[in-house]
Amino acid sequence: PEPPEGGWGWVVMLAAMWCNGAVFGIQNSCGVLFVSMLQVFGGSDDKQLAFKTAWVNSLSMGMVFFCSPIVSIFTDLFGCRKVAVVGAAVGFAGLLSSSFVSTIEPLYFTYGILFACGCSFAYQPSLVILGQYFKKRLGLVNGIVTAGSSLFTVSLPFLLRVLIDSVGLYNTLRVLCILMFVLFLAGFTYKPLVPNVKGKEEGKKGKFRFPPGKKICNFSVFKVLSYRIWAFGIPAALFGYFVPYVHLMKHVKDRFGDSVPEEVLLLCLGITSGVGRLIFGRVADYIPGAKKVYLQV
């Protein structure tokens, strides 16, 4: 059906904005958690503690995107609403269980895998559902939605610092669970306008049968040279994108000590990123079709 360009779509946009903010606000603020984890799990005899601790946050960020192909398949099969709600519930469970660990190793699973996989299952449908409600304004809407991550990136580091100083790391993680619970509720707003594969199969044959592999994962698009360049070029470009978010806070603390609030640089990243997303999202609406590629280049 033709996208309504508004109506309930504005509610979906706000829910997707919260999703981007909650998921990447927490992920981008991991530098604050990184410094706190070093203090909580620190020991003078463990010289590799910084490496082990960085792995928790790096694994979490990596898993959010590593799961994307699987999440896309599930979204096609079961629809945006179900996948987003289940993902938020898994993320909530992972974050809550992370607040009860006593050593760094269990965090690899609870925070690095369980929480991150839940975030991935919640995040991907928030982008897919926007295309069902918007077409002419999709660039602007995408800009607003992704600016949610910048808004949370600007505010969360300072909030986390206050929380960690007052209630400690574990209780801070429990407070962050509130964001995931709201995300769980937001997933219910993803009212589908386009039927998913499961619904189509049930409508045709009376009951659901798992569709053939070609319907789920069509690799024929990789025959197109320009798509191959884009599909492998963008990951290469993003290879180091999240590295500063993990290590920047610790770097500032080592370099300048307590004389400079280390959250300031995350504030700068969040503000400039948010402004850029809003501006270029709107600009993209005025560029027709495939010419948007030139904007990206």
Side-chain angles (χ1 to χ4, degrees):
E2 192 68 20
E5 300 292 343
W8 186 254
W10 297 120
V11 178
V12 173
M13 182 196 75
L14 291 174
M17 185 179 179
W18 181 273
C19 175
N20 269 259
V23 170
F24 291 108
I26 295 173
Q27 296 289 354
N28 293 346
S29 303
C30 64
V32 182
L33 299 176
F34 175 56
V35 174
S36 179
M37 286 176 187
L38 282 176
Q39 295 171 349
V40 171
F41 301 112
S44 57
D45 56 334
D46 193 350
K47 296 180 180 179
Q48 288 190 323
L49 182 65
F51 171 78
K52 291 179 180 179
T53 308
W55 246 93
V56 175
N57 296 312
S58 300
L59 182 63
S60 180
M61 281 187 173
M63 288 301 295
V64 170
F65 297 101
F66 187 75
C67 294
S68 291
I70 302 169
V71 178
S72 297
I73 293 171
F74 274 82
T75 302
D76 281 342
L77 283 173
F78 302 105
C80 296
R81 180 188 284 172
K82 291 179 181 177
V83 174
V85 168
V86 171
V90 172
F92 176 87
L95 195 57
L96 185 62
S97 57
S98 297
S99 67
F100 292 99
V101 301
S102 56
T103 58
I104 194 74
E105 285 76 13
L107 283 175
Y108 293 138
F109 174 72
T110 59
Y111 190 90
I113 295 178
L114 197 62
F115 169 63
C117 287
C119 287
S120 184
F121 273 76
Y123 166 68
Q124 200 80 354
S126 73
L127 299 182
V128 175
I129 195 68
L130 294 176
Q132 297 185 21
Y133 281 90
F134 298 94
K135 186 177 180 181
K136 295 178 182 178
R137 297 172 175 168
L138 186 58
L140 173 63
V141 169
N142 263 310
I144 294 172
V145 167
T146 54
S149 63
S150 300
L151 185 64
F152 276 64
T153 301
V154 167
S155 55
L156 261 186
F158 296 96
L159 176 63
L160 289 178
R161 173 58 57 207
V162 172
L163 286 172
I164 288 172
D165 290 342
S166 57
V167 298
L169 174 64
Y170 294 128
N171 285 323
T172 299
L173 292 175
R174 289 162 194 156
V175 171
L176 289 178
C177 287
I178 298 172
L179 301 182
M180 297 305 296
F181 180 72
V182 176
L183 180 56
F184 170 77
L185 299 178
F188 287 101
T189 67
Y190 297 165
K191 181 181 177 182
L193 297 181
V194 178
N196 54 61
V197 174
K198 182 181 177 182
K200 288 178 181 176
E201 295 294 326
E202 285 178 342
K204 286 179 183 177
K205 302 177 181 178
K207 67 177 184 177
F208 175 65
R209 292 184 182 179
F210 208 78
K214 286 184 179 179
K215 267 191 176 182
I216 297 174
C217 210
N218 188 356
F219 289 102
S220 63
V221 69
F222 281 95
K223 295 177 182 178
V224 182
L225 176 62
S226 58
Y227 181 80
R228 290 202 302 272
I229 294 172
W230 183 83
F232 293 106
I234 295 300
L238 292 174
F239 191 74
Y241 179 81
F242 286 103
V243 173
Y245 288 105
V246 178
H247 297 281
L248 195 61
M249 308 280 286
K250 181 69 166 56
H251 172 70
V252 172
K253 195 172 184 65
D254 291 343
R255 186 79 180 267
F256 303 103
D258 296 327
S259 61
V260 178
E262 58 264 29
E263 296 89 356
V264 169
L265 291 184
L266 277 184
L267 175 68
C268 296
L269 281 172
I271 292 174
T272 51
S273 176
V275 172
R277 290 166 195 264
L278 290 172
I279 292 174
F280 290 108
R282 189 55 178 158
V283 169
D285 283 332
Y286 294 106
I287 300 177
K291 289 186 178 180
K292 290 182 176 65
V293 171
Y294 296 116
L295 177 64
Q296 191 170 32
V297 173

